[in-house]
Amino acid sequence: MGSDRDRYVDFLRAWAIVLVVLGHWLITGLVRHPDGRITAPELLATVPWTQWLTLGFQIMPLFFLAGGHAAGGSWVRARAGGGTAAGWVGQRAVRLLLPVAAYCCLVLLAVGVCSAAGVDPGTLALVGWAMAMQFWFLPVYLLLSALTPALHALHRRWGPRVPLAMGVVALAVGAAVAGGGDGPYAGAVEALGALNYLLVWGVVYQLGFCWRDGLLGGSGVGDGSGVGGVRGGSGVRGAWRVAGVMAVGGGAGFALLVGLGPFPVSLILVTGQDPSNTDPPSVAMLAWAVAQVGVCLLVAPGVRRMLEGAAVWRWVRGLGAASMTLYLWHMLPVLVVAAAFYLTGLAPQPAYGSPGWWGLRVPWLLVLGGVLGCVVAALRPLERVLAVLGARVRPEAGLRGVAAWRLWGGIGVSVWALTYFAGHGFAYGGRFPLAAAVGLALGTGLVMFPRRRDGGGAVGVQGVLEEAA
Protein backbone atom coordinates (compact mmCIF):
# COMPACT_ATOMS: atom_id res chain seq x y z
CA MET A 1 0.00 0.00 0.00
CA GLY A 2 1.10 3.52 -0.62
CA SER A 3 0.86 5.51 2.58
CA ASP A 4 1.66 4.90 6.22
CA ARG A 5 -1.98 5.13 7.06
CA ASP A 6 -2.80 2.44 4.53
CA ARG A 7 -0.20 0.24 6.18
CA TYR A 8 -1.71 0.86 9.59
CA VAL A 9 -5.19 -0.04 8.34
CA ASP A 10 -3.77 -3.27 6.90
CA PHE A 11 -2.04 -3.91 10.23
CA LEU A 12 -5.37 -3.56 12.07
CA ARG A 13 -6.92 -6.18 9.80
CA ALA A 14 -3.98 -8.55 10.21
CA TRP A 15 -3.89 -8.11 14.00
CA ALA A 16 -7.63 -8.70 14.22
CA ILE A 17 -7.35 -11.91 12.16
CA VAL A 18 -4.59 -13.26 14.41
CA LEU A 19 -6.58 -12.59 17.58
CA VAL A 20 -9.80 -14.04 16.14
CA VAL A 21 -8.02 -17.27 15.23
CA LEU A 22 -6.15 -17.55 18.54
CA GLY A 23 -9.25 -16.63 20.53
CA HIS A 24 -11.43 -19.28 18.90
CA TRP A 25 -8.72 -21.90 19.34
CA LEU A 26 -8.09 -20.94 22.96
CA ILE A 27 -11.71 -21.26 24.06
CA THR A 28 -12.27 -24.51 22.15
CA GLY A 29 -11.56 -27.41 24.47
CA LEU A 30 -12.33 -31.03 23.64
CA VAL A 31 -13.20 -33.86 26.04
CA ARG A 32 -13.22 -37.57 25.16
CA HIS A 33 -15.71 -39.56 27.22
CA PRO A 34 -15.33 -43.24 28.18
CA ASP A 35 -17.87 -44.25 25.51
CA GLY A 36 -15.75 -42.55 22.82
CA ARG A 37 -17.92 -39.46 22.41
CA ILE A 38 -16.17 -36.14 21.83
CA THR A 39 -17.73 -33.01 23.33
CA ALA A 40 -16.63 -29.37 23.46
CA PRO A 41 -17.66 -27.86 26.83
CA GLU A 42 -18.17 -24.12 26.68
CA LEU A 43 -15.09 -22.68 28.38
CA LEU A 44 -16.62 -19.29 29.17
CA ALA A 45 -19.55 -20.97 30.95
CA THR A 46 -17.56 -23.78 32.58
CA VAL A 47 -14.69 -21.58 33.82
CA PRO A 48 -16.39 -18.19 34.36
CA TRP A 49 -13.24 -16.16 35.07
CA THR A 50 -12.20 -16.71 31.44
CA GLN A 51 -14.92 -14.26 30.40
CA TRP A 52 -12.45 -11.50 31.31
CA LEU A 53 -10.18 -12.73 28.53
CA THR A 54 -12.77 -11.63 25.98
CA LEU A 55 -11.84 -8.00 26.70
CA GLY A 56 -8.64 -8.65 24.79
CA PHE A 57 -9.88 -11.14 22.22
CA GLN A 58 -13.09 -9.35 21.14
CA ILE A 59 -11.35 -7.52 18.34
CA MET A 60 -14.13 -7.25 15.76
CA PRO A 61 -14.39 -3.45 16.14
CA LEU A 62 -11.03 -3.27 14.37
CA PHE A 63 -12.48 -5.07 11.34
CA PHE A 64 -15.33 -2.59 11.07
CA LEU A 65 -13.10 0.43 11.70
CA ALA A 66 -10.59 -0.64 9.06
CA GLY A 67 -13.45 -1.68 6.75
CA GLY A 68 -15.09 1.73 6.99
CA HIS A 69 -11.78 3.49 6.37
CA ALA A 70 -11.05 1.41 3.27
CA ALA A 71 -14.61 1.43 1.93
CA GLY A 72 -14.89 5.19 2.30
CA GLY A 73 -11.81 5.76 0.17
CA SER A 74 -12.82 3.15 -2.38
CA TRP A 75 -16.33 4.59 -2.81
CA VAL A 76 -15.00 8.15 -3.15
CA ARG A 77 -12.68 7.05 -5.97
CA ALA A 78 -15.42 5.02 -7.70
CA ARG A 79 -17.89 7.88 -7.45
CA ALA A 80 -15.36 10.35 -8.84
CA GLY A 81 -14.80 8.00 -11.78
CA GLY A 82 -18.49 7.85 -12.67
CA GLY A 83 -19.25 4.50 -11.01
CA THR A 84 -22.69 3.66 -9.69
CA ALA A 85 -23.62 2.41 -6.24
CA ALA A 86 -24.71 -0.95 -7.67
CA GLY A 87 -21.46 -1.38 -9.60
CA TRP A 88 -19.28 -0.57 -6.61
CA VAL A 89 -21.31 -2.69 -4.17
CA GLY A 90 -21.35 -5.59 -6.64
CA GLN A 91 -17.58 -5.56 -6.99
CA ARG A 92 -17.14 -5.57 -3.21
CA ALA A 93 -19.78 -8.29 -2.79
CA VAL A 94 -18.07 -10.58 -5.33
CA ARG A 95 -14.81 -10.34 -3.38
CA LEU A 96 -16.61 -11.45 -0.23
CA LEU A 97 -19.08 -13.98 -1.59
CA LEU A 98 -16.84 -16.00 -3.91
CA PRO A 99 -14.51 -17.39 -1.18
CA VAL A 100 -17.45 -17.74 1.22
CA ALA A 101 -19.49 -19.68 -1.35
CA ALA A 102 -16.53 -21.95 -2.11
CA TYR A 103 -16.07 -22.62 1.62
CA CYS A 104 -19.77 -23.32 2.12
CA CYS A 105 -19.86 -25.61 -0.91
CA LEU A 106 -17.03 -27.77 0.42
CA VAL A 107 -18.38 -27.86 3.98
CA LEU A 108 -21.91 -28.66 2.82
CA LEU A 109 -20.56 -31.41 0.56
CA ALA A 110 -18.86 -32.95 3.60
CA VAL A 111 -22.08 -32.58 5.63
CA GLY A 112 -24.07 -34.32 2.90
CA VAL A 113 -21.59 -37.19 2.67
CA CYS A 114 -21.47 -37.65 6.46
CA SER A 115 -25.25 -37.52 6.73
CA ALA A 116 -25.61 -40.17 4.02
CA ALA A 117 -23.00 -42.30 5.77
CA GLY A 118 -25.07 -42.28 8.97
CA VAL A 119 -22.88 -40.06 11.16
CA ASP A 120 -24.52 -39.34 14.52
CA PRO A 121 -26.79 -36.27 14.12
CA GLY A 122 -25.53 -34.72 17.37
CA THR A 123 -21.92 -34.99 16.26
CA LEU A 124 -22.79 -33.63 12.84
CA ALA A 125 -24.62 -30.66 14.38
CA LEU A 126 -21.64 -29.89 16.63
CA VAL A 127 -19.19 -30.00 13.73
CA GLY A 128 -21.56 -27.93 11.57
CA TRP A 129 -21.76 -25.32 14.31
CA ALA A 130 -17.97 -25.22 14.74
CA MET A 131 -17.44 -24.62 11.02
CA ALA A 132 -19.91 -21.70 11.04
CA MET A 133 -19.13 -20.06 14.40
CA GLN A 134 -17.39 -17.13 12.68
CA PHE A 135 -20.21 -16.46 10.19
CA TRP A 136 -22.10 -13.81 12.20
CA PHE A 137 -19.68 -11.20 10.86
CA LEU A 138 -20.36 -11.92 7.18
CA PRO A 139 -24.03 -10.86 6.75
CA VAL A 140 -23.45 -7.75 8.89
CA TYR A 141 -20.41 -6.70 6.89
CA LEU A 142 -22.11 -7.48 3.57
CA LEU A 143 -25.09 -5.32 4.57
CA LEU A 144 -22.86 -2.44 5.67
CA SER A 145 -20.98 -2.70 2.38
CA ALA A 146 -24.28 -2.54 0.48
CA LEU A 147 -25.32 0.51 2.52
CA THR A 148 -21.96 2.29 2.14
CA PRO A 149 -23.05 4.73 -0.61
CA ALA A 150 -25.98 5.90 1.53
CA LEU A 151 -23.98 5.90 4.77
CA HIS A 152 -21.17 7.86 3.15
CA ALA A 153 -23.65 10.42 1.82
CA LEU A 154 -24.83 10.96 5.40
CA HIS A 155 -21.20 11.22 6.48
CA ARG A 156 -20.42 13.88 3.89
CA ARG A 157 -23.30 15.99 5.18
CA TRP A 158 -23.14 15.49 8.94
CA GLY A 159 -19.75 13.89 9.71
CA PRO A 160 -19.29 12.62 13.31
CA ARG A 161 -22.91 13.44 14.14
CA VAL A 162 -23.94 10.35 12.15
CA PRO A 163 -22.23 7.74 14.39
CA LEU A 164 -23.37 9.76 17.42
CA ALA A 165 -26.99 9.57 16.26
CA MET A 166 -26.65 5.87 15.43
CA GLY A 167 -25.29 5.26 18.93
CA VAL A 168 -28.27 7.05 20.50
CA VAL A 169 -30.70 4.95 18.45
CA ALA A 170 -28.77 1.79 19.42
CA LEU A 171 -29.16 2.78 23.07
CA ALA A 172 -32.92 3.19 22.58
CA VAL A 173 -33.18 -0.17 20.83
CA GLY A 174 -31.18 -1.81 23.62
CA ALA A 175 -33.51 -0.31 26.23
CA ALA A 176 -36.56 -1.59 24.32
CA VAL A 177 -35.05 -5.07 24.13
CA ALA A 178 -34.21 -5.06 27.84
CA GLY A 179 -37.79 -4.07 28.73
CA GLY A 180 -39.44 -6.37 26.21
CA GLY A 181 -39.44 -9.43 28.43
CA ASP A 182 -41.20 -12.60 27.31
CA GLY A 183 -44.64 -11.10 26.69
CA PRO A 184 -46.84 -11.28 23.60
CA TYR A 185 -44.53 -8.92 21.71
CA ALA A 186 -41.35 -10.89 22.39
CA GLY A 187 -40.95 -11.78 18.72
CA ALA A 188 -41.26 -8.14 17.62
CA VAL A 189 -38.80 -7.07 20.31
CA GLU A 190 -36.31 -9.70 19.15
CA ALA A 191 -36.63 -8.45 15.56
CA LEU A 192 -36.14 -4.87 16.76
CA GLY A 193 -33.04 -5.93 18.67
CA ALA A 194 -31.51 -7.31 15.47
CA LEU A 195 -31.21 -3.69 14.28
CA ASN A 196 -28.35 -3.27 16.73
CA TYR A 197 -26.19 -5.53 14.59
CA LEU A 198 -26.24 -2.75 12.02
CA LEU A 199 -26.39 0.17 14.46
CA VAL A 200 -23.61 -0.81 16.86
CA TRP A 201 -21.21 -2.13 14.25
CA GLY A 202 -22.36 0.63 11.92
CA VAL A 203 -21.13 3.21 14.45
CA VAL A 204 -17.61 1.78 14.22
CA TYR A 205 -17.84 1.51 10.42
CA GLN A 206 -18.93 5.15 10.27
CA LEU A 207 -16.04 6.12 12.55
CA GLY A 208 -13.81 4.61 9.87
CA PHE A 209 -15.15 7.25 7.45
CA CYS A 210 -14.46 9.96 10.03
CA TRP A 211 -10.95 8.67 10.69
CA ARG A 212 -10.10 8.67 7.00
CA ASP A 213 -11.33 12.24 6.57
CA GLY A 214 -9.49 13.56 9.62
CA LEU A 215 -12.66 14.20 11.63
CA LEU A 216 -11.42 12.43 14.76
CA GLY A 217 -9.01 15.24 15.49
CA GLY A 218 -7.01 14.77 12.28
CA SER A 219 -6.63 16.65 9.04
CA GLY A 220 -7.43 14.06 6.41
CA VAL A 221 -5.97 11.21 4.43
CA GLY A 222 -2.35 10.98 3.50
CA ASP A 223 -0.58 12.94 6.23
CA GLY A 224 0.60 9.78 7.90
CA SER A 225 1.92 11.48 11.04
CA GLY A 226 0.54 11.93 14.52
CA VAL A 227 -2.66 10.50 15.93
CA GLY A 228 -5.25 10.32 13.18
CA GLY A 229 -2.68 11.47 10.61
CA VAL A 230 -2.17 15.07 11.81
CA ARG A 231 0.79 17.42 11.42
CA GLY A 232 1.61 20.30 13.70
CA GLY A 233 1.58 20.74 17.44
CA SER A 234 -1.97 21.95 17.98
CA GLY A 235 -3.36 19.37 15.54
CA VAL A 236 -1.48 16.57 17.29
CA ARG A 237 -2.71 17.75 20.69
CA GLY A 238 -6.28 17.86 19.39
CA ALA A 239 -5.96 14.37 17.96
CA TRP A 240 -4.57 13.00 21.22
CA ARG A 241 -7.42 14.69 23.08
CA VAL A 242 -10.12 13.12 20.88
CA ALA A 243 -8.47 9.68 21.01
CA GLY A 244 -8.02 9.93 24.77
CA VAL A 245 -11.64 10.92 25.34
CA MET A 246 -12.82 7.97 23.24
CA ALA A 247 -10.51 5.49 24.98
CA VAL A 248 -11.16 6.67 28.54
CA GLY A 249 -14.82 7.53 28.03
CA GLY A 250 -15.62 4.27 26.27
CA GLY A 251 -13.72 2.23 28.85
CA ALA A 252 -15.37 4.03 31.77
CA GLY A 253 -18.79 3.61 30.16
CA PHE A 254 -18.20 -0.11 29.78
CA ALA A 255 -17.04 -0.42 33.40
CA LEU A 256 -20.17 1.35 34.65
CA LEU A 257 -22.51 -0.69 32.46
CA VAL A 258 -20.93 -3.92 33.71
CA GLY A 259 -20.29 -2.90 37.33
CA LEU A 260 -23.53 -1.05 38.03
CA GLY A 261 -25.70 -2.06 35.10
CA PRO A 262 -27.16 -5.34 33.92
CA PHE A 263 -24.50 -6.34 31.40
CA PRO A 264 -22.00 -9.20 31.78
CA VAL A 265 -18.26 -8.72 31.29
CA SER A 266 -18.09 -11.30 28.49
CA LEU A 267 -17.87 -9.80 25.02
CA ILE A 268 -18.50 -13.21 23.46
CA LEU A 269 -21.81 -15.06 23.66
CA VAL A 270 -22.18 -17.31 26.70
CA THR A 271 -25.02 -19.82 26.62
CA GLY A 272 -27.80 -18.89 29.04
CA GLN A 273 -26.39 -15.45 29.81
CA ASP A 274 -29.08 -12.77 29.66
CA PRO A 275 -28.62 -10.05 28.66
CA SER A 276 -25.83 -10.75 26.22
CA ASN A 277 -23.32 -8.26 24.88
CA THR A 278 -23.29 -9.82 21.43
CA ASP A 279 -26.72 -11.24 20.59
CA PRO A 280 -27.65 -8.54 19.74
CA PRO A 281 -24.71 -6.18 20.35
CA SER A 282 -25.39 -4.20 23.52
CA VAL A 283 -24.63 -0.64 24.53
CA ALA A 284 -21.80 -2.11 26.63
CA MET A 285 -20.32 -3.59 23.46
CA LEU A 286 -20.68 -0.18 21.81
CA ALA A 287 -18.82 1.48 24.69
CA TRP A 288 -16.00 -1.06 24.43
CA ALA A 289 -15.84 -0.57 20.66
CA VAL A 290 -15.49 3.20 21.07
CA ALA A 291 -12.72 2.61 23.61
CA GLN A 292 -10.96 0.33 21.14
CA VAL A 293 -11.14 2.96 18.40
CA GLY A 294 -9.60 5.49 20.79
CA VAL A 295 -6.77 3.12 21.66
CA CYS A 296 -6.15 2.47 17.96
CA LEU A 297 -5.73 6.18 17.38
CA LEU A 298 -3.44 6.57 20.39
CA VAL A 299 -1.03 3.80 19.39
CA ALA A 300 -1.06 4.65 15.68
CA PRO A 301 2.19 6.70 15.61
CA GLY A 302 4.26 3.99 17.28
CA VAL A 303 2.79 1.21 15.14
CA ARG A 304 3.36 3.24 11.97
CA ARG A 305 7.03 3.60 12.86
CA MET A 306 7.23 -0.16 13.41
CA LEU A 307 5.61 -0.79 10.02
CA GLU A 308 8.41 1.09 8.29
CA GLY A 309 10.53 -2.04 8.74
CA ALA A 310 10.55 -4.21 5.63
CA ALA A 311 10.40 -7.51 7.55
CA VAL A 312 7.41 -6.44 9.67
CA TRP A 313 5.58 -5.13 6.63
CA ARG A 314 6.12 -8.42 4.76
CA TRP A 315 4.45 -10.29 7.62
CA VAL A 316 1.52 -7.86 7.73
CA ARG A 317 1.09 -7.96 3.96
CA GLY A 318 1.21 -11.77 3.94
CA LEU A 319 -1.41 -12.03 6.67
CA GLY A 320 -3.58 -9.51 4.86
CA ALA A 321 -3.41 -11.48 1.62
CA ALA A 322 -4.50 -14.66 3.42
CA SER A 323 -7.00 -12.98 5.76
CA MET A 324 -10.20 -14.38 4.21
CA THR A 325 -8.75 -17.88 4.01
CA LEU A 326 -7.61 -17.73 7.64
CA TYR A 327 -10.97 -16.37 8.77
CA LEU A 328 -13.03 -18.99 6.97
CA TRP A 329 -10.90 -22.09 7.47
CA HIS A 330 -9.33 -21.68 10.91
CA MET A 331 -11.67 -24.15 12.64
CA LEU A 332 -10.87 -27.01 10.25
CA PRO A 333 -7.58 -27.74 12.09
CA VAL A 334 -9.62 -28.29 15.27
CA LEU A 335 -11.52 -31.10 13.53
CA VAL A 336 -8.29 -32.58 12.14
CA VAL A 337 -6.62 -32.58 15.56
CA ALA A 338 -9.77 -33.95 17.18
CA ALA A 339 -9.80 -36.88 14.76
CA ALA A 340 -6.04 -37.52 15.08
CA PHE A 341 -5.62 -37.21 18.85
CA TYR A 342 -9.00 -37.31 20.59
CA LEU A 343 -10.91 -39.96 18.64
CA THR A 344 -7.86 -42.18 18.96
CA GLY A 345 -7.45 -41.46 22.68
CA LEU A 346 -3.86 -40.22 22.21
CA ALA A 347 -4.48 -36.77 23.69
CA PRO A 348 -3.80 -36.41 27.43
CA GLN A 349 -6.91 -35.57 29.42
CA PRO A 350 -6.25 -33.38 32.48
CA ALA A 351 -9.34 -32.02 34.23
CA TYR A 352 -11.06 -29.39 32.10
CA GLY A 353 -9.85 -25.92 33.13
CA SER A 354 -7.18 -27.27 35.53
CA PRO A 355 -3.56 -25.94 35.54
CA GLY A 356 -2.52 -29.01 33.57
CA TRP A 357 -5.20 -28.33 30.99
CA TRP A 358 -4.00 -24.73 30.60
CA GLY A 359 -0.43 -25.96 30.23
CA LEU A 360 -1.52 -28.08 27.27
CA ARG A 361 -2.99 -24.99 25.57
CA VAL A 362 0.51 -24.12 24.31
CA PRO A 363 1.12 -27.33 22.32
CA TRP A 364 -2.57 -27.25 21.31
CA LEU A 365 -2.13 -23.83 19.72
CA LEU A 366 1.18 -24.79 18.10
CA VAL A 367 -0.24 -27.97 16.54
CA LEU A 368 -3.31 -26.11 15.27
CA GLY A 369 -1.06 -23.42 13.80
CA GLY A 370 0.96 -26.04 11.92
CA VAL A 371 -2.18 -27.71 10.56
CA LEU A 372 -3.62 -24.34 9.51
CA GLY A 373 -0.41 -23.55 7.64
CA CYS A 374 -0.84 -26.79 5.68
CA VAL A 375 -4.50 -25.98 5.00
CA VAL A 376 -3.61 -22.52 3.67
CA ALA A 377 -0.91 -23.98 1.42
CA ALA A 378 -3.31 -26.64 0.10
CA LEU A 379 -5.92 -23.98 -0.69
CA ARG A 380 -3.63 -21.79 -2.83
CA PRO A 381 -4.73 -23.33 -6.15
CA LEU A 382 -8.37 -22.70 -5.19
CA GLU A 383 -7.51 -19.12 -4.24
CA ARG A 384 -5.93 -18.55 -7.65
CA VAL A 385 -9.02 -19.91 -9.41
CA LEU A 386 -11.28 -17.68 -7.29
CA ALA A 387 -9.10 -14.63 -7.96
CA VAL A 388 -9.30 -15.13 -11.72
CA LEU A 389 -13.02 -15.93 -11.59
CA GLY A 390 -13.65 -12.83 -9.47
CA ALA A 391 -11.87 -10.63 -12.00
CA ARG A 392 -13.88 -12.15 -14.84
CA VAL A 393 -17.34 -11.85 -13.26
CA ARG A 394 -17.06 -8.61 -11.29
CA PRO A 395 -19.91 -6.26 -12.27
CA GLU A 396 -19.23 -3.23 -14.42
CA ALA A 397 -18.49 -0.06 -12.45
CA GLY A 398 -21.45 1.68 -14.07
CA LEU A 399 -24.00 -1.10 -13.47
CA ARG A 400 -27.58 0.15 -13.88
CA GLY A 401 -31.11 -0.95 -14.70
CA VAL A 402 -32.37 -4.52 -14.45
CA ALA A 403 -28.87 -5.88 -13.84
CA ALA A 404 -28.53 -3.59 -10.82
CA TRP A 405 -31.85 -4.74 -9.37
CA ARG A 406 -30.81 -8.35 -9.90
CA LEU A 407 -27.64 -7.65 -7.96
CA TRP A 408 -29.51 -6.04 -5.04
CA GLY A 409 -31.79 -9.09 -4.93
CA GLY A 410 -28.78 -11.40 -4.88
CA ILE A 411 -27.28 -9.52 -1.95
CA GLY A 412 -30.55 -9.76 -0.04
CA VAL A 413 -30.82 -13.52 -0.55
CA SER A 414 -27.14 -14.00 0.34
CA VAL A 415 -27.57 -12.04 3.56
CA TRP A 416 -30.51 -14.26 4.53
CA ALA A 417 -28.57 -17.47 3.83
CA LEU A 418 -25.45 -16.30 5.69
CA THR A 419 -27.61 -15.22 8.62
CA TYR A 420 -29.13 -18.70 8.76
CA PHE A 421 -25.69 -20.36 8.80
CA ALA A 422 -24.50 -17.91 11.46
CA GLY A 423 -27.44 -18.74 13.73
CA HIS A 424 -27.84 -22.47 13.06
CA GLY A 425 -24.56 -23.82 11.67
CA PHE A 426 -24.23 -26.11 8.69
CA ALA A 427 -26.13 -29.06 10.14
CA TYR A 428 -28.75 -27.81 12.58
CA GLY A 429 -30.41 -30.79 14.24
CA GLY A 430 -28.06 -33.03 12.25
CA ARG A 431 -29.88 -32.20 9.00
CA PHE A 432 -28.63 -30.82 5.71
CA PRO A 433 -29.70 -27.11 5.38
CA LEU A 434 -31.17 -27.36 1.90
CA ALA A 435 -33.03 -24.02 1.85
CA ALA A 436 -30.03 -22.01 3.05
CA ALA A 437 -27.68 -23.83 0.67
CA VAL A 438 -29.94 -23.07 -2.30
CA GLY A 439 -30.36 -19.49 -1.09
CA LEU A 440 -26.61 -18.87 -0.93
CA ALA A 441 -26.07 -20.43 -4.36
CA LEU A 442 -28.87 -18.32 -5.84
CA GLY A 443 -27.75 -15.12 -4.15
CA THR A 444 -24.11 -15.56 -5.15
CA GLY A 445 -25.13 -16.41 -8.70
CA LEU A 446 -27.22 -13.25 -8.98
CA VAL A 447 -24.36 -11.11 -7.68
CA MET A 448 -21.72 -12.62 -9.94
CA PHE A 449 -23.97 -13.16 -12.97
CA PRO A 450 -21.53 -13.71 -15.86
CA ARG A 451 -20.93 -10.64 -17.98
CA ARG A 452 -19.89 -10.70 -21.59
CA ARG A 453 -16.35 -9.65 -22.36
CA ASP A 454 -15.33 -7.89 -25.57
CA GLY A 455 -18.40 -9.18 -27.34
CA GLY A 456 -17.61 -12.75 -26.38
CA GLY A 457 -19.65 -15.28 -24.48
CA ALA A 458 -20.10 -15.81 -20.80
CA VAL A 459 -17.16 -16.69 -18.63
CA GLY A 460 -16.09 -20.27 -19.21
CA VAL A 461 -14.83 -22.47 -16.38
CA GLN A 462 -12.10 -23.89 -18.60
CA GLY A 463 -10.85 -20.38 -19.39
CA VAL A 464 -10.78 -19.49 -15.70
CA LEU A 465 -8.79 -22.61 -14.87
CA GLU A 466 -6.31 -21.90 -17.66
CA GLU A 467 -5.80 -18.31 -16.43
CA ALA A 468 -5.35 -19.49 -12.83
CA ALA A 469 -2.73 -22.00 -13.92
Side-chain angles (χ1 to χ4, degrees):
M1 302 295 290
S3 69
D4 286 344
R5 171 170 289 190
D6 290 329
R7 287 191 174 193
Y8 184 51
V9 171
D10 286 347
F11 167 81
L12 292 180
R13 287 199 193 98
W15 179 244
I17 280 290
V18 168
L19 286 188
V20 164
V21 172
L22 290 179
H24 283 167
W25 286 353
L26 186 64
I27 66 173
T28 302
L30 303 178
V31 174
R32 187 178 190 272
H33 297 275
D35 60 1
R37 290 183 302 113
I38 306 295
T39 59
E42 190 174 351
L43 180 65
L44 300 180
T46 307
V47 188
W49 69 261
T50 59
Q51 295 180 27
W52 288 92
L53 298 178
T54 66
L55 301 185
F57 282 101
Q58 178 50 275
I59 212 71
M60 298 311 292
L62 297 189
F63 273 116
F64 289 102
L65 179 69
H69 186 289
S74 175
W75 169 237
V76 166
R77 291 189 295 273
R79 186 166 160 264
T84 63
W88 181 85
V89 169
Q91 291 175 1
R92 305 280 287 191
V94 164
R95 288 170 53 190
L96 175 73
L97 286 174
L98 266 180
V100 170
Y103 173 84
C104 291
C105 181
L106 292 172
V107 173
L108 288 170
L109 177 62
V111 168
V113 170
C114 291
S115 180
V119 172
D120 173 64
T123 301
L124 196 56
L126 176 63
V127 171
W129 166 82
M131 295 300 284
M133 66 184 300
Q134 73 277 33
F135 263 47
W136 73 266
F137 168 81
L138 299 173
V140 178
Y141 195 81
L142 183 56
L143 263 181
L144 286 174
S145 294
L147 292 171
T148 293
L151 293 174
H152 199 267
L154 295 174
H155 163 74
R156 291 195 305 273
R157 183 163 184 176
W158 289 299
R161 284 175 287 183
V162 178
L164 180 61
M166 292 172 70
V168 171
V169 176
L171 177 60
V173 169
V177 171
D182 299 321
Y185 302 106
V189 169
E190 183 178 355
L192 177 65
L195 284 176
N196 267 1
Y197 281 101
L198 284 181
L199 290 169
V200 170
W201 298 119
V203 167
V204 190
Y205 193 77
Q206 205 81 22
L207 287 174
F209 297 162
C210 296
W211 178 32
R212 179 185 179 275
D213 289 347
L215 299 178
L216 299 182
S219 60
V221 177
D223 288 340
S225 62
V227 178
V230 208
R231 294 186 194 274
S234 62
V236 170
R237 284 195 296 272
W240 278 93
R241 202 159 37 240
V242 171
V245 167
M246 294 179 72
V248 175
F254 178 81
L256 288 174
L257 289 164
V258 170
L260 302 179
F263 298 100
V265 71
S266 178
L267 293 172
I268 295 176
L269 181 65
V270 178
T271 300
Q273 199 171 71
D274 187 29
S276 164
N277 283 325
T278 60
D279 186 26
S282 69
V283 65
M285 175 67 82
L286 177 58
W288 191 254
V290 170
Q292 252 186 42
V293 172
V295 171
C296 286
L297 298 178
L298 288 172
V299 304
V303 177
R304 286 193 181 105
R305 286 192 293 271
M306 180 186 70
L307 293 173
E308 292 174 1
V312 175
W313 177 236
R314 277 197 299 271
W315 274 97
V316 171
R317 191 167 54 184
L319 283 170
S323 59
M324 182 57 84
T325 302
L326 294 173
Y327 187 80
L328 290 173
W329 291 93
H330 70 270
M331 289 304 290
L332 179 60
V334 175
L335 303 184
V336 173
V337 172
F341 294 99
Y342 283 85
L343 283 178
T344 58
L346 294 176
Q349 290 266 67
Y352 195 86
S354 67
W357 184 87
W358 281 106
L360 286 173
R361 292 286 88 183
V362 175
W364 165 258
L365 294 177
L366 291 175
V367 171
L368 291 177
V371 175
L372 182 59
C374 296
V375 170
V376 171
L379 289 170
R380 279 177 187 154
L382 176 61
E383 289 179 334
R384 287 195 292 269
V385 170
L386 293 177
V388 173
L389 181 60
R392 298 285 297 273
V393 303
R394 67 200 303 255
E396 299 287 353
L399 192 68
R400 289 182 172 85
V402 175
W405 285 108
R406 183 172 60 236
L407 182 137
W408 294 120
I411 288 176
V413 176
S414 298
V415 166
W416 170 80
L418 292 174
T419 301
Y420 177 88
F421 289 134
H424 299 84
F426 286 107
Y428 184 67
R431 297 184 297 273
F432 185 88
L434 181 60
V438 171
L440 183 60
L442 175 62
T444 304
L446 289 173
V447 169
M448 55 173 282
F449 192 84
R451 62 186 177 92
R452 304 178 76 85
R453 299 170 59 90
D454 303 322
V459 176
V461 174
Q462 183 62 35
V464 169
L465 293 174
E466 289 172 358
E467 280 190 56

